[in-house]
Amino acid sequence: MTVQDARIFETPLYPYRRHADQDASPPARHKVIVVGAGPVGLAAALEMAQAGIEVLVLDDNDKVSFGSRAICFAKRPLEILDRLGCGQPMVDHGVIWDTGRVFFDEREVFNFNLLPETGHARPAFINLQQYHLEKYMFDRLTELQGEGAAIELRGGSKVVSADARGDHVRLTVETPDGPYQIEADWLIACDGAASGLRAMMGLDFVGRVFEDNFLIADVVMDADFPAERWFWFDPPFNRGQSALLHKQPDGVWRIDLQLGWDIDREAEKRPENVIPRLKAMLGEDVSFSLEWVSVYTFQCRRMEKFRHGRVIFAGDSAHQVSPFGARGANSGLQDTDNLGWKLALVINGAAPESLLDSYDAERIHGADENILNSSRSTDFITPKSETSRIFRDAVLDLAEHYEFTRPLVNSGRLSVPCVYDGSPLNGEDALDGAPRLTRPGAPCPDAPLEGGFLLDHLRAGDFVLLGIGADVPERFEDGAITARGLRVDAGGDLGARYLGKAKAGVYLIRPDQHVAARWPSFDEGKARAALRKATGNAP
């Protein structure tokens, strides 16, 4: 870690300052209050501010989180961060990677490339410490404030009670000057896995807690390992367990070591116990220093509902998964990507409040998909019976020589965006011969266009009628909802990804860059019906 990076932990970015709201009677009312200034909370706030909605963020901290925490950011969340205005510094500073290697004992059994095709603006993954992302998001928040956006972040402000009152929520906020009350038309709970808001409302998770422990260590060292994901099953330096190695910027490396269930968690975090484990892995001659150490237990759980009236949960406050697969922060950013445009339409009166029920439907679908994949990964990494272990080891042995067995190897299915199959917002799928990759509910894959990429043209936060070798109107309106027209040529990667065997096509694309409907040509009646369905305005 550089000296400049170390200062991030020490410098308050949003120190407590007394606000006029603390003396207001009756309590001041805000359109949207976000609780939690981690990546998901800041993403929710940026979504609201960029949509022109007044938003306040409350957090009991006043600076970025300590330790790397989340480090792996997948292609789709990077595209979301592009739309929020902070994707480029992530890629500029992050370690770009697309190759993973799987080892069994000391042997490499196979490797894989997460993004073998060209024509995408963003890489498959980058590794970057969470505190950098939080700083970039804070910088973007400050930039929006300078442009006149009504976005505010208050540190030293801990929410200690929440009272849902039909059309608003009243909060009690504890500060260094004592408590005060404040109200929100809408409350977005992004206060993490130990969500105080969830507890205040008497809500809980359902799911599994896995009986295993993992040591997570960030070490600073000068090593010549490549920028790849290395995963070991039963390595000689951690017999009967697993290990993971990832490169981060600034000479920092992330190491995960499986410890087993019956351990002294506090003792395992002490340097005198951590350092010998790391030397056994890295070699006695490798010089390193510890930056951050923690021990964690896997949990794959979620709330039964994410929306509770005017209170909406997102990120770890709504769902938890094991870290293998990088599904935590990545799925949280997809939560706010899904919620932001819907809540903005409801607040602006352009969509009924029932549109927010689709947030529950779509993101619970996403959470269930993540939990399923994460649970399967954990079961493969940590077999629960001797029979399971024999099967796993046989698969690993075969994978070294037989390609057909490699899909069975599960060292953590890495984060991919959710396709909202069965969503109540999906419209007609009438483009014969088109790939399933771009069916209604799917996120739009990127593709090169002259002078840029397709997703560059889908960042404005509005609906888009994309004509691929087909004419579309420059502007299409239905009541308070507007879709912007974009016509592109049908050739190249874009044509292959969106048309397949079709000669031409028209796509209706949502503000979160998911496909709403598709047809062979523009039809005003069909486009109007799809737009109404996608905004919850269909009769």
Side-chain angles (χ1 to χ4, degrees), residues 40 191-195 198 205 314-321 328-329 331-332 335:
V40 178
D191 53 340
S195 171
R198 193 177 61 240
F205 284 133
D316 284 351
S317 69
H319 46 76
Q320 292 176 270
V321 292
S331 63
D335 287 347

Side-chain angles (χ1 to χ4, degrees), residues 264-387:
D264 183 334
R265 292 166 63 91
E266 290 305 313
E268 289 291 350
K269 291 190 288 186
R270 295 173 190 152
E272 62 267 28
N273 293 320
V274 174
I275 289 173
R277 287 184 179 277
L278 298 182
K279 284 188 174 181
M281 176 182 184
L282 301 171
E284 289 288 337
D285 58 337
V286 175
S287 177
F288 62 86
S289 61
L290 293 177
E291 179 181 274
W292 183 60
V293 175
S294 183
V295 173
Y296 60 87
T297 298
F298 285 171
Q299 300 185 38
C300 292
R301 309 188 297 169
R302 68 165 174 84
M303 299 176 68
E304 290 186 356
K305 291 175 54 183
F306 296 171
R307 181 193 172 206
H308 294 263
R310 293 293 179 111
V311 182
I312 304 170
F313 290 82
D316 284 351
S317 69
H319 46 76
Q320 292 176 270
V321 292
S322 68
F324 290 120
R327 297 174 181 274
N330 286 306
S331 63
L333 292 172
Q334 291 171 74
D335 287 347
T336 57
D337 180 54
N338 185 283
L339 174 62
W341 65 275
K342 296 174 181 178
L343 185 54
L345 288 180
V346 170
I347 290 173
N348 289 330
E353 190 173 318
S354 59
L355 175 63
L356 297 174
D357 292 336
S358 70
Y359 170 74
D360 241 20
E362 293 182 340
R363 291 314 299 158
I364 284 176
H365 175 67
D368 285 344
E369 186 176 280
N370 281 325
I371 287 170
L372 175 64
N373 283 300
S374 189
S375 297
R376 286 174 173 171
S377 297
T378 305
D379 286 336
F380 192 85
I381 293 167
T382 62
K384 302 306 183 290
S385 69
E386 185 60 24
T387 300

Side-chain angles (χ1 to χ4, degrees), residues 3 77 136 156 171 207 217 262 271 334 406 439 453 502:
V3 173
Y136 298 145
L171 303 175
D262 188 17
Q334 291 171 74
R406 292 170 188 171
R439 64 191 183 274
F453 290 86

Side-chain angles (χ1 to χ4, degrees), residues 412-432:
R413 295 278 187 255
L414 289 156
S415 176
V416 294
C418 178
V419 177
Y420 301 135
D421 288 318
S423 168
L425 306 188
N426 288 351
E428 191 174 9
D429 186 8
L431 186 56
D432 292 340

